[in-house]
Amino acid sequence: MGVEVDLYNAAVNLVLDRYPKGWGGAAAVMTSTGRLLTSVAPDTKNDALSLCMEVGAYLEAHKFNEAVTHSLCVYRDDEHSTFKILTPCGICQERLVHWGGDVLVAITNIGNKLIFKPVRELQPFHWSGVNGDEL
């Protein structure tokens, strides 16, 4: 589990740096070349303008023209809380499908273990099947 632990540590360290007090969340992704990218959700005054934590890292991967192979998000309620793993929301699952169904994503689970599953397992009935595509 080397890549998975590296992603977890990178995301946690970003939260500790960026949000030393209070709530904090961050994402980390690995690309096909081994590049580790991190990001946070932008602060906005209007929630309708919000973006998920991992969008910045996904855009960086696009910028470098590299496929995302792994994705992880963590958050904590405050500086005294433990970090929790967040399964990608449906929109981010759609973003990840761009790189295929084999992209590994960290999932929310009892015990907060570091478990990764292929995105195709999160969306076994993905809409792309109507086009004959296999996720």
Side-chain angles (χ1 to χ4, degrees):
M1 274 206 144
V3 169
E4 295 86 350
V5 171
D6 290 346
L7 290 173
Y8 182 84
N9 290 337
V12 166
N13 287 332
L14 178 54
V15 171
L16 295 174
D17 286 344
R18 176 67 175 81
Y19 305 102
K21 297 209 185 285
W23 182 93
V29 306
M30 183 66 67
T31 71
S32 56
T33 66
R35 190 185 305 254
L36 197 156
L37 304 168
T38 60
S39 58
V40 298
D43 296 329
T44 63
K45 294 188 187 298
N46 179 340
D47 284 343
L49 303 175
S50 294
L51 289 170
C52 299
M53 291 179 268
E54 57 266 64
V55 171
Y58 296 166
L59 292 172
E60 285 287 300
H62 276 287
K63 178 180 83 178
F64 293 120
N65 197 27
E66 297 176 12
V68 169
T69 61
H70 296 74
S71 183
L72 170 140
C73 282
V74 297
Y75 83 98
R76 63 158 196 227
D77 292 318
D78 60 42
E79 68 273 19
H80 306 293
S81 301
T82 59
F83 283 90
K84 296 181 179 122
I85 297 166
L86 294 172
T87 300
C89 74
I91 294 170
C92 283
Q93 289 177 38
E94 287 293 331
R95 291 174 177 134
L96 288 166
V97 166
H98 171 76
W99 293 290
D102 292 328
V103 176
L104 296 173
V105 298
I107 58 166
T108 303
N109 62 87
I110 296 172
N112 203 42
K113 297 179 184 92
L114 197 53
I115 299 172
F116 282 71
K117 298 278 185 181
V119 71
R120 83 166 47 84
E121 288 186 25
L122 278 61
Q123 290 204 22
F125 305 104
H126 191 263
W127 61 266
S128 62
V130 301
N131 300 323
D133 297 336
E134 185 178 322
L135 178 61

